[in-house]
């Protein structure tokens, strides 16, 4: 995404793309429905915890660790193999996201560095900072051309500037752009997909759209499937109005599916309490 030009609020301009307003409205209705569920008045903490677990499972699935939910609940060793490490990283990020809300609007780059540090869970020099020239990127499921480090630096600074200045764009638009930009740039040597989806989650929570973190977009992204996810990302990277709108709509549908997932959890809890 270009963050330069005459428009002082390019994120807000994306809200006027064809179909985006409909996506924003559809997401708002879906979120309002789950927040209005009677079980939320008494057991919202349980819904939040369950949503965090399911968000981690969904994000890990998109990064190659597609485990059944009960397997995620059962396992305690998340360092045994590559898939287990991906799942462990996703779980750590899901738990960490809510702790970084107060920092995000003041220092988004600091938050992104923290997310990578949490995901990587190592002390290597390459952890917790943008990649440097010549460093390889381990992100096999995203095969787009990799921007060079100068472009990464410039675009990250531009994105951070937009967030710090604030925007009148709907939360869905901002979250989709943050998510798409991080996937397009892959600024870290590893775990970029997990970090991008955690950052989307932070925007959705911090914006007030989903303050209790009960509408996990990661669930929806996984349900829509990796092929659709990557096709929509291609649209984002194209930079065309149609491509950007398609990516935002895809992210919107993911949030709706996350809201539907939590509604099902509410219904199950209600049946258990009846």
């Amino acid at each position: 995404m270009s963050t330069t030009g005459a428009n002082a609020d390019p994120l807000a301009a994306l809200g006027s793309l064809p179909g985006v307003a409909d996506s924003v409205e559809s997401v708002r209705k879906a979120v309002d429905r789950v927040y209005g569920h009677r079980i939320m008045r008494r057991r919202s903490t349980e819904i939040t915890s369950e949503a965090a677990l399911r968000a981690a499972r969904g994000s890990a699935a998109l990064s190659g660790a597609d485990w059944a939910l009960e397997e995620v609940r059962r396992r305690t060793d998340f360092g045994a193999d590559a898939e287990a490490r991906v799942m462990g990283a996703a779980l750590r990020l899901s738990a960490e996201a809510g702790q970084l809300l107060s920092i995000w609007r003041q220092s988004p780059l600091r938050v992104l560095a923290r997310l990578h540090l949490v995901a990587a869970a190592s002390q290597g020099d390459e952890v917790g900072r943008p990649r440097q020239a010549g460093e390889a990127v381990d992100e096999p499921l995203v095969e787009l051309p990799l921007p060079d480090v100068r472009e990464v630096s410039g675009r990250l600074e531009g994105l951070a500037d937009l967030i710090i200045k604030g925007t009148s764009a709907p939360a869905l638009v901002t979250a989709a752009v943050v998510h798409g930009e991080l996937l397009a740039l892959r600024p870290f040597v590893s775990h970029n997909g997990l970090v991008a989806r955690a950052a989307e989650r932070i925007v959705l929570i911090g914006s007030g759209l989903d303050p209790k973190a009960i509408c996990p977009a990661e669930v929806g992204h996984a349900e829509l499937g990796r092929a659709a996810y990557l096709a929509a990302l291609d649209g984002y990277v194209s930079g065309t109005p149609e491509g950007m709108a398609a990516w935002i709509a895809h992210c919107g549908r993911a949030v709706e599916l996350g809201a539907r997932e939590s509604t099902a959890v509410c219904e199950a809890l209600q049946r258990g309490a009846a």
Side-chain angles (χ1 to χ4, degrees):
M1 175 192 175
S2 174
T3 57
T4 60
N7 192 336
D9 192 352
L11 293 180
L14 296 176
S16 64
L17 292 175
V20 169
D22 291 341
S23 293
V24 169
E25 181 62 19
S26 184
V27 165
R28 169 53 66 188
K29 288 179 179 178
V31 172
D32 285 348
R33 280 194 295 271
V34 66
Y35 271 85
H37 198 286
R38 59 184 296 183
I39 208 74
M40 282 293 296
R41 291 194 294 270
R42 295 182 288 113
R43 304 179 72 174
S44 64
T45 301
E46 291 174 69
I47 308 301
T48 296
S49 296
E50 186 65 20
L53 183 69
R54 295 179 185 225
R57 195 216 72 81
S59 190
L62 288 169
S63 286
D66 193 359
W67 291 10
L69 187 60
E70 290 311 312
E71 177 71 2
V72 182
R73 295 188 201 280
R74 183 187 68 81
R75 288 284 289 268
T76 57
D77 178 9
F78 294 101
D81 53 44
E83 284 196 9
R85 289 191 291 274
V86 168
M87 185 60 70
L91 287 165
R92 291 191 298 273
L93 286 174
S94 190
E96 185 77 7
Q99 310 303 313
L100 300 172
L101 297 174
S102 63
I103 306 171
W104 175 254
R105 285 294 299 273
Q106 286 73 44
S107 185
L109 297 184
R110 179 181 165 196
V111 169
L112 294 176
R114 173 63 184 170
L115 291 174
H116 186 246
L117 186 67
V118 168
S122 71
Q123 301 299 317
D125 291 341
E126 75 283 1
V127 173
R129 60 155 174 79
R131 55 186 167 86
Q132 297 176 357
E135 290 182 329
V137 174
D138 180 15
E139 201 70 43
L141 301 177
V142 179
E143 298 179 350
L144 296 166
L146 193 66
D148 66 33
V149 295
R150 291 175 61 186
E151 181 178 353
V152 169
S153 178
R155 287 171 63 175
L156 280 179
E157 290 289 345
L159 183 64
D161 189 53
L162 289 175
I163 293 165
I164 292 168
K165 287 181 177 177
T167 176
S168 61
L172 171 64
V173 172
T174 304
V177 168
V178 168
H179 184 172
E181 194 73 352
L182 292 174
L183 278 180
L185 294 176
R186 281 147 291 159
F188 302 108
V189 297
S190 63
H191 300 93
N192 289 287
L194 294 174
V195 168
R197 291 183 289 275
E200 179 186 49
R201 182 176 180 82
I202 288 171
V203 175
L204 293 171
I205 299 169
S207 67
L209 176 65
D210 181 21
K212 293 183 181 294
I214 60 169
C215 301
E218 300 94 328
V219 169
H221 286 304
E223 185 173 336
L224 290 167
R226 192 179 301 159
Y229 184 67
L230 295 177
L233 178 62
D234 283 343
Y236 177 86
V237 172
S238 76
T240 65
E242 297 81 8
M244 297 291 288
W247 170 251
I248 294 167
H250 184 88
C251 291
R253 182 61 180 147
V255 176
E256 291 180 57
L257 290 171
R260 187 182 70 178
E261 183 89 353
S262 286
T263 298
V265 172
C266 288
E267 295 291 339
L269 289 174
Q270 185 168 280
R271 287 192 299 271

